Amino acid sequence: KKDKLNIDTYVRDTLSELLKDYLFVGGMPAAVAEYIKSKNPTKVRAIHRSIVRTYQDDFPKYASRNNLKNIFL
């Protein structure tokens, strides 16, 4: 019984850590590739910021002038 509890705890802890990694890294290919390569959260976060900036740069291409003021609150 004790061995089963140890295994259950190990599996739960391992899956919890993997879930945290997944939630942080997300699914963008560049972020995933950087995480696999470096396991460096600072580098991954820099990629996230770059992706967000790219999206923000595209907003004016697709939104009307009236909607832009609401996008960049």
Side-chain angles (χ1 to χ4, degrees):
K1 182 82 173 167
K2 186 177 180 182
D3 288 341
K4 183 176 179 354
L5 287 175
N6 287 338
I7 290 171
D8 289 346
T9 300
Y10 172 76
V11 169
R12 184 200 64 223
D13 292 348
T14 301
L15 290 175
S16 290
E17 286 303 311
L18 290 171
L19 178 61
K20 286 179 198 174
D21 290 346
Y22 172 75
L23 292 174
F24 172 73
V25 174
M28 298 302 289
V32 173
E34 182 59 46
Y35 183 76
I36 290 169
K37 182 175 85 173
S38 71
K39 299 276 194 262
N40 184 326
T42 303
K43 290 182 177 182
V44 173
R45 188 66 187 124
I47 290 171
H48 290 159
R49 281 199 238 43
S50 173
I51 292 168
V52 169
R53 272 192 306 274
T54 301
Y55 286 145
Q56 288 173 333
D57 290 345
D58 282 349
F59 289 162
K61 295 177 190 174
Y62 304 104
S64 69
R65 190 173 295 280
N66 290 334
N67 287 333
L68 280 178
K69 64 182 175 189
N70 295 324
I71 292 172
F72 294 106
L73 293 175

